[in-house]
Amino acid sequence: MNTKVLQTLEYDKIIEQLVTFATTDLGYELCKKLNPMTQESEILSAQEQTNDALTRIFKQGNISFQGVTDLTPSMMRLKVHGTLSATELLSIAGVLEAAKNAADYGVRDLTLVDGDSLDHIFESLIPLESLLHDIKHCIISPEEISSEASPTLRDIRRSMKQTNQRIHTQLTNMISSSGNQDKLQESIVTMRNGRYCIPVKQEYRNQFQGMIHDQSSTGATLFIEPMAVVTLNNTLKELEGQEQSEIDRILSMLSEQASYEMDALMHNQKTLTMLDFIFAKAKYAKSYDGSKPVFREDGVINIKQGRHPLLDSKKVVPINVHLGDDFTMLVITGPNTGGKTVSLKTVGLFTLMGQAGLHIPAFQGSTLGIYEEVFADIGDEQSIEQNLSTFSSHMTNIVSIIQQSHNKSLVLLDELCGGTDPIEGAALAISLLTDLHARGVKTMATTHYSELKMFALTSEGIENASCEFDVETLSPTYRLMIGIPGKSNAFAISKKLGLDQHILDHAEDQIDESVKDFESVVADLERSKLTIEKEQEEILAYRKEIESLRESLQNKKDDIKERRETMLRKAREEARDILTEAKETADQTIREYNKLKKSNNSDTNKKMEHIRSGLGKKLSNIEKNMTYTGGTQTKKVHEASDFQVGDEVYVSSLSLSGTVQTLPNAKGDLYVQMGMMRSLVNIKNLEITKSVKQVKRENARNESRNRGRTAINKSGSMRPEINVLGTTVSEATALLDKFIDDACLANLAQITVVHGKGTGKLRKGIHSYLDGLKKQKRISGYRDGEYGEGDVGVTVIML
C-alpha cells in the first residue's frame, strides 16, 4: 500500500497515540512500525488477537510487561563465552519475571471459558524459574552482590568487616588521645587512595610514623596512614581483591548458566514483545470504545455511528456511511466546514485502521472491505485564493490515482477539480468519475458543483449524499445524509444575515428555472427525510415503551402465579391439618363411645351428651377460624324464599361450595351438602351461585352432549369387576352404587362383585341392596357366581 495515503489520512497520528499504550521499548517499536496489511488471513488474525486481548482486559484487568528489555547485546556476548555484568543479568531476570507473570495471567479454566487466539502464545512462554531464582538470590542490585551468593564471598566479607573494625578502633584511640588533640587538624578518620588516614598538622608530621598519602590545598594538613594500621590496610586491600575475584566468578557462573538458555530467553523476549504490542492495541481500542469490524469479501463498507478517532469524542458527531452494496460511488455535496472532508477521512482512516488490526470507533457490526490500495487526494486549501498552481498540484495527484487504481482500490477525492473554471471543472469531474465507476473502483468524492448532483441522480450505481446544515443557527450539524444531494443555502443564509429582499429576488431571477426546480426538489427531499427520521425515533420510543410494559406485565403475571402457588400450598397444608385433627377427634370420640357402651353406668347418657356438646363447640370454633374475611366485595343478601332444594351455593363461613338439602327454618338455618360433609348453615352465610332450574338445564345439556363421549371413555378404561373384601355393608354398598353408575355409562352388560364367603353377612347385605335396585329398575337382576366364577364368594349383576 502506498505510503503517501498514510500521511494524507493522518494515519501517522493514530500510530502516535497507539505507541503511548506500549509498556516496553520493544513493544513501542513494534507499534511504531505497524502498517495496514492486504492479506485477509493476516488482517483477520490481527483483529482476533486485538479482540481477545480486549476481552481479557475487561475480564481479568490489565497485564504488566514491566522489566522486559532488549537482551540482544547480552546474548551476543554470551555467544562468544563472555561474562555478563550484574546489570545485564538483572535484565535477564526482569524478562523471566515478566514471562512468569504473563504465563500466570494466561492460565484460564477452559471448562468455564472458550479458548482464544492468545492461549497458544501464553502457553509458549518458558519461565526458567531456576535461572530466575539463582540470579535474584545472588544479585541484589546492579551495584551489589549478595553475601549469600557463595560461602567464600560470605567469609571474605566477614573478614573485611572485622579488619575494618580493628582499623577504626586503633585510629579512634589515636585521635582520642589527649596528647594528640592539638597535633591533629580534626579528630576524624578519613580515607585517601583507598586507605584509612588521619589529618595531621604540617608542623607535627615527624611525630607520627607512617605514610603520607595526600595533603590539603594549602599544605597545612597532611593525611598520614599511621604505621600501626598499614598492615591492616594492606590486609583489607587483599580482601577487597579476593572479594572482586569471587564476584567475577559468581557472575561468570550465572553467565554460563544463562548461555545454556539463550534460545529460550530470546523466545521469551520476542513473545513478550508481541504480547505487549497486542495488548497495546487492545488498550488503545478501550480508550475510544472501539469495536471489531466485520470484513466483507465483496468490499462493502457499512459504518454505523462512526466517530473520527482524532477528534474530541465529546464533540464529534457520529456518522453512518455505506458504500458498495446498492452503489459503488458516493458524491457528497454541501457547504464548506459542513463535515464533507471529515466524512471522507473517517472512511479512509477506518479502512487503514481495520487492515492494521486496530478496532474502529463505531458500533458493533460495522463492516469494512479489504483493499489492496487506498488513494486519497485531500487538500486543505478551501478559499478563493486557490489558483492554477493548486489545480495543477491536485490534477497531478489525480492523474496518478487514475493510472494506479483498480477494482480492489478505494479512492477518496476531496473538492474534485476545484480551483478552476466551474463549467470546465464540472465536466472534467464527471468524466473522471465515469471512468472510475466503469472500472468498478469504489469511490467517494466531495464537490460544490451542482452538475455532479444531477450526474449522481441519473447514473446507476452512483448515489448522492450531503452534510446537513441548520439555516436557523447558520451552522452545520455534521450529519451525513445519504440519498439526498446537498442544497445550496446561500440565499437562506444571506436572508438570515439581513440582506435586502429585493437583492435576493434579483439574484433568484438570474438562476435558470430548471436549477430552481432541482433545488426545490432537494429541499422537499430533505424535509421528508427529517420527517421520516422523526417518526422513526417516535416508533423506536413506542417500541421501547411497549417492551417495558410487556416486561412489567410478565413480571406481574409471574408474581401472581407465585402468590397463587403459595396460597394453594398454604391452603393444602391447612386442609391436611384440619383433616388430621378431624380424624384424631373422630377416633377419640369413637373410642370413648365404645367405652361408654360397654359400661352400664347410669351416667352414660350424660357423659355421651357432654362429648357431643364438646364436639359441637369444637366445630363451631373451626367454622369461626375458617370464615373468609379477606375480601371486601359486597355479597348479595338473599331472603329465605330465594332458596330451593337443589340450589348450588357458596358457604362463605367455610369457603366451600355445596348443594341445598332442605328449605330454611324460622331462624334461617338450612342443611347444605358439601362433598361428604352435611352441615347446618344460616342463609346469611350463603350465596346462590346456581339455582336448581339452572342446574337441571345444564345437567340435561351436558348429559346429552357427553353421554356418548363418556361411554367411550369409561368403556375404554373400566374393568367389569369390583372387589369389596374387608369392607362393611354400608361401605360396600356405597362403592357398588357408584360402580353400577359407571358401568351403565360404559355400556357394560354385567358386572361381578367380589365379596368373599366368610360369615355371609356382607353377601346378604349386598343382595338386600340389589333387591332395592331391581325394584327401581336400575338393574335387571343378579345371581351367585357359578363354578369357575368364584361360587358364592361373588355376585354377578345384570345391568
Side-chain angles (χ1 to χ4, degrees), residues 292-563:
K292 176 185 172 184
V294 178
F295 288 93
R296 293 272 298 263
E297 294 181 1
D298 53 6
V300 171
I301 296 172
N302 185 13
I303 297 171
K304 304 172 183 177
Q305 296 292 295
R307 310 175 305 279
H308 195 289
L310 299 178
L311 298 178
D312 187 347
S313 60
K314 295 179 181 178
K315 296 179 181 179
V316 64
V317 178
I319 61 169
N320 296 311
V321 187
H322 57 97
L323 175 70
D325 43 7
D326 298 329
F327 51 87
T328 58
M329 183 174 286
L330 194 62
V331 178
I332 307 174
T333 50
N336 286 331
T337 69
K340 301 191 304 297
T341 304
V342 171
S343 300
L344 216 61
K345 285 186 173 182
T346 300
V347 173
L349 194 53
F350 276 20
T351 300
L352 298 179
M353 289 175 67
Q355 292 188 209
L358 296 172
H359 284 185
I360 59 174
F363 275 8
Q364 289 282 353
S366 294
T367 65
L368 297 174
I370 297 177
Y371 297 100
E372 294 179 3
E373 285 288 355
V374 177
F375 298 101
D377 178 59
I378 299 175
D380 293 324
E381 302 85 10
Q382 299 183 13
S383 68
I384 60 173
E385 293 162 0
Q386 286 180 318
N387 51 36
L388 183 60
S389 62
T390 302
F391 173 78
S392 178
S393 173
H394 281 292
M395 189 51 62
T396 301
N397 195 20
I398 290 171
V399 168
S400 175
I401 293 172
I402 293 292
Q403 292 174 347
Q404 297 180 57
S405 61
H406 47 78
N407 62 350
K408 292 188 177 179
S409 302
L410 175 65
V411 174
L412 308 169
L413 303 171
D414 188 34
E415 299 297 347
L416 181 59
C417 296
T420 187
D421 179 74
I423 296 175
E424 291 183 358
L428 189 57
I430 290 172
S431 181
L432 290 169
L433 294 178
T434 300
D435 177 74
L436 289 169
H437 185 55
R439 291 190 287 123
V441 181
K442 292 183 176 61
T443 308
M444 286 181 67
T446 68
T447 182
H448 283 293
Y449 297 140
S450 296
E451 290 84 348
L452 290 184
K453 302 177 191 177
M454 188 60 69
F455 166 70
L457 280 173
T458 56
S459 302
E460 188 176 351
I462 303 176
E463 187 60 87
N464 271 303
S466 62
C467 289
E468 190 180 43
F469 188 88
D470 190 342
V471 180
E472 293 299 321
T473 60
L474 300 181
S475 60
T477 64
Y478 302 105
R479 292 178 58 212
L480 185 67
M481 299 189 298
I482 295 177
I484 298 178
K487 179 180 178 293
S488 173
N489 293 297
F491 290 168
I493 294 171
S494 300
K495 183 177 181 180
K496 188 77 176 175
L497 293 175
L499 189 64
D500 289 343
Q501 186 62 43
H502 74 277
I503 297 176
L504 292 172
D505 293 341
H506 186 264
E508 287 183 2
D509 292 340
Q510 310 304 312
I511 299 175
D512 187 78
E513 285 297 324
S514 61
V515 175
K516 287 183 182 179
D517 293 341
F518 180 75
E519 291 294 336
S520 177
V521 170
V522 169
D524 291 341
L525 278 173
E526 191 170 348
R527 281 193 296 271
S528 298
K529 186 176 180 65
L530 290 173
T531 302
I532 291 170
E533 287 180 352
K534 186 177 179 181
E535 289 175 351
Q536 286 178 338
E537 289 176 359
E538 291 177 353
I539 291 170
L540 185 61
Y542 287 143
R543 282 181 178 174
K544 288 181 179 178
E545 186 179 354
I546 289 168
E547 285 299 321
S548 176
L549 290 171
R550 183 181 294 165
E551 186 178 351
S552 175
L553 179 60
Q554 186 61 44
N555 291 336
K556 286 182 179 178
K557 287 174 68 177
D558 293 341
D559 183 54
I560 291 170
K561 184 178 179 182
E562 184 179 349
R563 286 168 59 191

Side-chain angles (χ1 to χ4, degrees), residues 40 79 90 177 197 374 496 562 624 627 693 701 704:
E40 182 180 6
K79 280 185 179 180
L90 284 175
S177 173
C197 304
V374 177
K496 188 77 176 175
E562 184 179 349
K624 287 179 181 177
T627 302
K693 292 181 179 178
R701 200 161 46 241
S704 61

